[in-house]
Amino acid sequence: MQTPDTSVAQIARSVGYTNAYSFSTAFRRQVGVTPSEFRRHRAVLPAGLGCAVEVKIQRDAFGGG
C-alpha cells in the first residue's frame, strides 16, 4: 500500500488473495475504508499505521487472525 504504482491486485496476490475484490472486502472490513481510500488518505494517518494494517491483512489472508 505504500508504493502507489503497485496495483491493489498485485498487493492482493502478494498477500495470498486470489483476486483484488476479496482483498478489498477484507481490507475494508478490517480498516473501515477501501484500499484506494486508504491510499488517498494515508498522508494523514499516524506514522506506522499503514504497516500495521498491511501485516494484519496479510495474517488474515492466511488464517492467522
Side-chain angles (χ1 to χ4, degrees):
M1 298 297 296
Q2 295 182 8
T3 308
D5 16 328
T6 304
S7 72
V8 172
Q10 290 171 309
I11 294 167
R13 283 190 301 275
S14 75
V15 297
Y17 282 86
T18 57
N19 66 63
Y21 180 78
S22 296
F23 171 74
S24 293
T25 300
F27 191 94
R28 184 176 183 125
R29 186 174 35 241
Q30 293 295 320
V31 181
V33 296
T34 66
S36 298
E37 292 169 328
F38 179 83
R39 278 187 166 169
R40 276 194 299 274
H41 301 294
R42 182 170 49 99
V44 298
L45 293 174
L49 180 59
C51 293
V53 168
E54 288 180 50
V55 169
K56 174 134 180 66
I57 294 295
Q58 185 171 9
R59 280 199 323 241
D60 289 349
F62 296 103

